[in-house]
Amino acid sequence: MDGWNYPKNEPSSCMEGTRKLNKDCTCLDVALKHCFTHASFDHLQPLFPTVRPLANRVIWFNNHRCTLSCHRRVDECRWKQEMKSQVSCVDEDDCESCRLAYCWWRTAAEFDKCAKLKLGFPNVSILTPRLRLLRELERLALVAPDGLNELQHKLLEYRSGDFWVPTGGITREDMDIPPVNTILLVGFSGSGKSSLINLMYSILGRSGLIPFAQTSSGSSNYTTMYMEEHNVLRSTRSGFCIYDSRGFDYHSTREALEEMSSWMSEGIHHNQPCFRYNDRATTADDAAMENITLRSSSNFLQREVNCVMVVANIAQIYKALKAGDLKPLEATRQLFSFPALRKSNENPLLILTHGDLLSTEERIDGRMKICEHLEISETNGVYDILCLNKYGFPVEESDPVSAYALTEAVYRALLISDRSHFPKMKFKDWAMLILLWLMRFMGFCFAFLADVCSNLGKRQKLRNEFDSRHYKLKP
């Protein structure tokens, strides 16, 4: 209040000016009512000298009250800017530490060499795999602040088939596009699939810290026993869903591949049980098995898997490599390279988690070794995502790089899903399919008859030989 520049002849107190204005308005209102209650204009004219100064004073104070309000707004804006600058100066070190926290690669040994490269396209021959990886991480950091909202909007507006483009001269009406695209998360136990689901809810569904998927912790041996369908957008019109699956065992890779093959060929549904060979021994009684059967009701819609995300624990794999144990890396390679997971002639997406448990050099070296062993590019289709921050909460705006990387991974998965659709079956196709199955059935019948006739012929031949020998032996 003391810093305001009041006009001349202005009351020094805003409260005093308000009381004076109310008094003048009351006098003006009484005078006008008294004037217009008279019937003739002659009675009004003597009162005009009284009414006119009161009206002028009210108009004058109203105008200067607007001036006071403008001064107040200017001073408030100036005060907020000063406070903002003071806070920014005080928290500058904290902001810098937060920036370094999610831009963890900037403390790498060769980052200075990467920063010196031009923003354009440098000579590819001089780019080592490590420099390409650093440039990819810088791309994510550059696009994340503005690109996150754009990708979120695209996913919110997405309907199944929106990313399909005309190919092969077939229109969209002739394509067999499901109402909902299905993205399946697979990986070994402790890889962070359920934590990734909660992160999707937090970023894409704006649900905050609500844990929609139960996760295992250091003091818990919980594991996902059922296939769980998650609408991470929390929208009734969502065009895609995410499926969480039970983690595999590094020492039972063959069992994992068999189960994966059934999921990809037969489809999956919500609450579908994920049994292992030793699960029945650990089940308490038959009532529990009956409860499992009721929970896995066949009324849930069977969905075809359109895209697969392989989730791998980079910290666990790298520590095993340092200890000389190649089993986790080899098992991940077998799972990632399984032919049934390929859609639209593309590899599944690789999501690396728990990278915060490693140092910067170990995190980069681990990613490069995993990609080299899987024979894939270290920059295309691979995302290093931190699911939880140091306080154990899902990452949101505190780590925009991880948030954008996860959103881009889902976006890329939907692009792959819409490319993997096939044309609808027409009458000619159904006729050819029925004819093919009929010919196969007839071939099976002829093969069966041929086998039966061959066995009958062999028996008849043996009988004839026996009869001839028996006839010769008679005296």
Side-chain angles (χ1 to χ4, degrees), residues 104 314 355-356 358-367 384:
W104 52 269
I314 184 175
D356 58 314
L358 301 174
S359 64
T360 300
E361 296 299 330
E362 291 176 342
R363 195 169 180 178
I364 295 176
D365 187 44
R367 175 170 175 172
D384 188 343

Side-chain angles (χ1 to χ4, degrees), residues 285-470:
D285 49 13
D286 295 337
M289 293 299 299
E290 183 179 358
N291 185 22
I292 292 176
T293 305
L294 292 175
R295 179 173 179 177
S296 60
S297 174
S298 59
N299 294 330
F300 292 109
L301 184 64
Q302 194 83 3
R303 298 194 187 278
E304 178 187 359
V305 179
N306 302 110
C307 186
V308 178
M309 290 184 179
V310 178
V311 186
N313 188 337
I314 184 175
Q316 187 178 17
I317 295 175
Y318 187 79
K319 291 178 180 179
L321 282 176
K322 291 182 66 177
D325 185 10
L326 298 177
K327 188 63 178 178
L329 181 58
E330 180 62 24
T332 303
R333 187 193 66 81
Q334 294 181 15
L335 181 63
F336 184 85
S337 304
F338 190 50
L341 301 187
R342 295 177 63 89
K343 287 289 184 177
S344 186
N345 200 27
E346 292 191 19
N347 291 322
L349 299 180
L350 180 61
I351 309 297
L352 302 177
T353 58
H354 300 290
D356 58 314
L357 301 179
L358 301 174
S359 64
T360 300
E361 296 299 330
E362 291 176 342
R363 195 169 180 178
I364 295 176
D365 187 44
R367 175 170 175 172
M368 294 181 62
K369 286 184 177 179
I370 292 175
C371 294
E372 181 181 2
H373 194 75
L374 299 182
E375 298 180 353
I376 59 175
S377 172
E378 63 277 349
T379 60
N380 188 16
V382 184
Y383 296 94
D384 188 343
I385 298 175
L386 179 63
C387 297
L388 301 176
N389 58 20
K390 62 181 180 179
Y391 302 107
F393 295 144
V395 177
E396 293 181 351
E397 288 80 1
S398 59
D399 190 352
V401 178
S402 291
Y404 178 80
L406 179 63
T407 309
E408 185 178 283
V410 176
Y411 180 76
R412 184 186 289 267
L414 295 179
L415 290 176
I416 297 175
S417 300
D418 283 338
R419 289 182 57 190
S420 63
H421 301 315
F422 293 100
K424 293 179 180 178
M425 297 287 288
K426 296 183 179 180
F427 176 77
K428 181 175 67 174
D429 300 324
W430 284 110
M432 291 294 295
L433 183 62
I434 293 174
L435 181 61
L436 178 62
W437 280 103
L438 182 61
M439 293 180 64
R440 288 182 178 178
F441 177 74
M442 293 176 62
F444 173 78
C445 292
F446 280 118
F448 177 75
L449 291 176
D451 185 59
V452 171
C453 293
S454 176
N455 292 333
L456 290 176
K458 290 180 181 179
R459 290 183 180 180
Q460 185 65 30
K461 184 178 180 180
L462 291 175
R463 184 177 298 177
N464 292 337
E465 291 178 356
F466 178 79
D467 291 342
S468 63
R469 290 177 184 178
H470 182 70

